[in-house]
Amino acid sequence: MFFGGSLCGCGFRAECEAAAGWSLTYSRAGLAVWVQLLEPDKSLHRIKCQMECKDVAAETLYDVLHDIEYRKKWDTNVIETFDIGKLTVNADVGYYAWKCPKPLKNRDVITLRSWLPMGTDYIIMNYSVKHPKYPPRKDMVRAVSILTGYWIQGKGATNCALTYLAQVDPKGSLPKWVVNKSSQFLAPKAMKKMYKACLKYPDWKQKHNPHFKPWLFPEQSTLPAVALSELSIQHADSLEHIDESALSETKDDRGEASDEDSVN
């Protein structure tokens, strides 16, 4: 799934544009969410979000998705995130842990991420890998990103559109309310939060190492090199299966926060 591998940027873009098998769960004010159930008994599904980003240049959105320090400011679902190492000038390995709605256990992933500018468009994709120094943690459930990515479409100098496509195995039998809540509430909320973060990013970046963008200037990267031989694809069936299907929804959600959270 590296851009030199079996699924290139064009293939991912085709996946984003496909309509067959998707069910629309949310559509409001330039933001739409679809779900595709793959294995209903296991809650395995794909989610697709599309959002029009007015007054946000494609380059800005691309920077926001890459900037790990800024993500710690605006992504209120993040517990911990850091880069592990680089494979090439447009591929790295990283760790991301996030809050799940109570009473579910929180999840984390190790992913190999690659990115590709395509004219006025940009694509960022990732999939799960195993790294010998970062085995599953006892306080987290190790999820598996089968295919996750972003397609940014430039719409002139100051506007763009974003498609987010994810197929993540949460490693467990989840109650149906989780899938419903993710597609109808949590995903739209996360996309809106990302959009607000994009609007604030230029001012924030001016105050925080404004010229440091190793995703654009790889010579700036200080990450250690990671050999592909150190990694292996993380298959879902090799991880512990967590049965949370009987858990009931609670009002206090760790995966939710105010839209007004400051990123200054």
Side-chain angles (χ1 to χ4, degrees):
M1 206 173 297
F2 236 158
F3 282 115
S6 59
L7 183 59
C8 66
C10 294
F12 178 75
R13 189 165 59 185
E15 289 278 333
C16 291
E17 293 178 319
W22 290 94
S23 299
L24 184 68
T25 60
Y26 181 97
S27 181
R28 192 178 304 164
L31 173 59
V33 182
W34 294 264
V35 165
Q36 187 179 68
L37 291 178
L38 302 175
E39 298 179 42
D41 292 341
K42 296 183 180 179
S43 301
L44 187 61
H45 66 285
R46 303 169 85 192
I47 189 166
K48 179 167 63 175
C49 308
Q50 290 183 342
M51 177 172 63
E52 297 295 328
C53 300
K54 187 178 180 182
D55 297 323
V56 174
E59 296 86 350
T60 299
L61 179 48
Y62 186 62
D63 287 349
V64 168
L65 290 174
H66 272 288
D67 197 323
I68 196 168
E69 294 305 317
Y70 190 57
R71 178 171 285 275
K72 295 172 184 177
K73 299 290 184 181
W74 67 265
D75 185 353
T76 52
N77 287 330
V78 68
I79 297 172
E80 184 179 12
T81 184
F82 53 86
D83 295 325
I84 295 172
K86 61 182 177 182
L87 283 91
T88 68
V89 294
N90 70 324
D92 61 18
V93 178
Y95 175 85
Y96 182 79
W98 71 95
K99 304 170 189 174
C100 290
K102 281 187 176 179
L104 303 180
K105 292 184 177 181
N106 294 327
R107 261 67 176 175
D108 68 355
V109 288
I110 303 286
T111 59
L112 189 161
R113 179 182 64 160
S114 51
W115 54 92
L116 183 69
M118 301 175 69
T120 58
D121 294 1
Y122 300 88
I123 288 178
I124 304 172
M125 293 164 42
N126 73 60
Y127 64 99
S128 281
V129 293
K130 288 190 285 189
H131 191 289
K133 294 183 180 179
Y134 300 93
R137 292 167 46 170
K138 292 182 179 180
D139 60 333
M140 297 274 180
V141 176
R142 179 61 51 89
V144 178
S145 171
I146 299 167
L147 169 64
T148 301
Y150 301 90
W151 174 27
I152 305 166
Q153 297 171 265
K155 303 286 185 180
T158 59
N159 299 290
C160 67
L162 172 66
T163 300
Y164 168 72
L165 177 65
Q167 181 180 340
V168 177
D169 188 336
K171 282 316 299 170
S173 299
L174 299 179
K176 289 185 178 179
W177 64 262
V178 173
V179 178
N180 293 337
K181 185 167 188 172
S182 294
S183 63
Q184 296 172 16
F185 181 76
L186 297 179
K189 190 178 183 71
M191 296 291 280
K192 292 174 187 176
K193 186 175 290 291
M194 183 189 300
Y195 173 63
K196 289 185 177 182
C198 288
L199 293 173
K200 296 179 179 181
Y201 181 72
D203 287 342
W204 181 90
K205 189 61 175 172
Q206 280 299 315
K207 303 171 187 174
H208 299 83
N209 213 349
H211 302 296
F212 183 71
K213 295 183 178 183
W215 52 94
L216 297 179
F217 310 108
E219 66 275 9
Q220 295 178 346
S221 177
T222 58
L223 291 176
V226 175
L228 202 55
S229 59
E230 294 182 55
L231 308 173
S232 58
I233 294 176
Q234 177 69 74
H235 295 289
D237 56 10
S238 68
L239 293 168
E240 182 184 1
H241 183 85
I242 308 296
D243 188 358
E244 298 175 301
S245 59
L247 296 178
S248 300
E249 182 178 3
T250 63
K251 291 183 179 180
D252 179 19
D253 286 327
R254 291 172 293 180
E256 295 172 25
S258 168
D259 278 335
E260 304 307 319
D261 289 319
S262 173
V263 294
N264 297 318

